[in-house]
Amino acid sequence: MLRNTQILAISAAFLLSSGCATNATTRTKVEDRTLNDPNTNRTVITTSAEDAKTTSPTVQTTPYVIPPAPQALPQQDSSGVYSSSNANAAVTSLVSSADNSIKHGDYKAASAAIERALRHDPKNADLWHRLAQVRLRQSEYAQVESLSLKSNSLSNGNKPLMARNWSLISKARRLRGDGAGADEAEARAYQLTH
């Protein structure tokens, strides 16, 4: 209890000495001085030279420029893949690492890289499709189907991606011995491409 009281006393002393807290006699009236700068389309907050002299003789007035709004989220192209110029750098790097691992037949490393990318961007339908492709190569057929369906649910109607997912489902079903299910999935893939 004594320690909390000491911390409060030290905090109050710091705030008073730094000018962050004031007593009733030092409060000053503040007015809104925002301007829209027509040259830059930004809002500028200004202070007058008189206010700078009355509040503190060492204050220099410099305008505070409110930063522009952040850019829009990355957009997918028609194939469901984020363009490299808009994509999160970490996701792009992890996908590149996964592709390299696939080329060398290291599906475990590829799977790990894609799963890490999914932690950064869990709504990326292309990443779910890529993970389904790796699971097919790892002979994990039940996961191929569930991951492909997850990709389809996030695809926003991207027909080429959905068709590729149904083709993966068809292959997984056929390898599990479900010929009728494979034919059904292949028919759905065909419908999406024609």
Side-chain angles (χ1 to χ4, degrees):
M1 183 72 172
L2 181 62
R3 184 179 171 134
N4 289 343
T5 306
Q6 290 172 336
I7 292 173
L8 285 173
I10 293 169
S11 298
F14 173 75
L15 290 173
L16 286 172
S17 68
S18 66
C20 292
T22 61
N23 61 27
T25 60
T26 60
R27 289 188 184 147
T28 58
K29 184 177 177 183
V30 177
E31 63 183 84
D32 181 21
R33 294 192 183 139
T34 58
L35 301 171
N36 287 327
D37 186 354
N39 297 328
T40 62
N41 267 347
R42 294 184 176 180
T43 302
V44 178
I45 301 171
T46 61
T47 59
S48 68
E50 286 179 4
D51 286 346
K53 290 177 186 173
T54 59
T55 57
S56 174
T58 59
V59 172
Q60 295 181 6
T61 59
T62 54
Y64 173 75
V65 178
I66 297 174
Q71 298 295 322
L73 294 173
Q75 298 296 314
Q76 293 177 335
D77 65 16
S78 61
S79 66
V81 179
Y82 285 103
S83 63
S84 60
S85 62
N86 292 335
N88 180 330
V91 171
T92 303
S93 174
L94 289 165
V95 168
S96 177
S97 173
D99 289 344
N100 191 35
S101 295
I102 290 169
K103 287 178 187 174
H104 292 95
D106 188 359
Y107 302 123
K108 187 174 182 179
S111 174
I114 295 169
E115 287 171 354
R116 285 182 59 206
L118 280 166
R119 284 187 216 119
H120 289 279
D121 192 2
K123 294 187 178 186
N124 185 328
D126 183 61
L127 290 176
W128 290 103
H129 175 76
R130 287 173 181 262
L131 187 56
Q133 288 176 315
V134 172
R135 293 292 190 247
L136 183 67
R137 293 179 183 191
Q138 292 175 317
S139 303
E140 296 180 23
Y141 306 125
Q143 282 194 8
V144 171
E145 187 164 345
S146 67
L147 294 169
S148 295
L149 291 173
K150 173 80 172 182
S151 175
N152 278 348
S153 72
L154 297 171
S155 70
N156 293 325
N158 181 335
K159 289 184 178 184
L161 177 60
M162 292 172 73
R164 291 194 308 272
N165 283 322
W166 281 110
S167 290
L168 277 179
I169 292 170
S170 173
K171 290 174 186 174
R173 286 179 179 174
R174 198 166 306 285
L175 290 168
R176 276 193 317 208
D178 181 8
D183 291 342
E184 177 192 345
E186 196 59 43
R188 287 190 179 196
Y190 182 81
Q191 289 172 348
L192 289 165
T193 57
H194 292 88

